[in-house]
Amino acid sequence: QVQLVESGGGLVQAGTSLRLSCAASGRTTDVMGWFRQFPGKEREIVAFISAGSKAVTYYANWIQGRFTISRDNAKNTVYLQMNSLRPEDTAVYYCAAGRTISSRPGEYSNWGQGTQVTVSS
């Protein structure tokens, strides 16, 4: 079992940056993903990063180079650096851990509690 705790969300102005962190306890060899959820909508992939020294990363198309996912295995922490934030990025962001490289929320078995990101125009 993996326990995940997100932090770093908040209210920011458009064009600025935030860095989300996800501290993991338990297994550290999982694929780690960031998802976001709009009210009344399904969770959607933001990015994921695989385990290992040659980690594979994936980003949703709409990111357009603005976000970067990374992991510090020594700290058991995954980060999502979000730059050039837009009002449409406003959502609850979730960290998740899974055993398979996938962009589907159903493939991730462990989830954090979520952190609100609000971007004002």
Side-chain angles (χ1 to χ4, degrees):
Q1 191 72 5
V2 178
Q3 289 77 45
L4 305 171
V5 178
E6 300 106 333
S7 61
L11 171 63
V12 297
Q13 289 189 328
T16 61
S17 300
L18 274 178
R19 189 177 78 160
L20 305 183
S21 299
C22 174
S25 60
R27 290 195 310 268
T28 59
T29 57
D30 284 15
V31 177
M32 301 298 296
W34 284 99
F35 291 79
R36 68 180 187 179
Q37 188 170 25
F38 302 109
K41 301 292 186 180
E42 300 283 329
R43 290 180 189 180
E44 62 180 36
I45 187 71
V46 176
F48 68 70
I49 184 168
S50 66
S53 58
K54 295 183 179 181
V56 173
T57 58
Y58 168 90
Y59 296 94
N61 289 337
W62 53 263
I63 289 178
Q64 299 176 335
R66 299 181 297 127
F67 298 179
T68 303
I69 189 170
S70 61
R71 65 192 298 167
D72 184 334
N73 291 324
K75 296 181 178 179
N76 289 349
T77 301
V78 176
Y79 304 98
L80 184 68
Q81 177 67 43
M82 304 188 295
N83 299 326
S84 302
L85 283 162
R86 304 167 180 169
E88 54 265 38
D89 293 321
T90 296
V92 178
Y93 285 72
Y94 293 90
C95 174
R99 306 307 296 271
T100 305
I101 291 177
S102 176
S103 61
R104 297 185 296 178
E107 295 294 333
Y108 291 78
S109 54
N110 297 280
W111 292 84
Q113 79 285 0
T115 185
Q116 177 70 46
V117 171
T118 303
V119 184
S120 64
S121 57

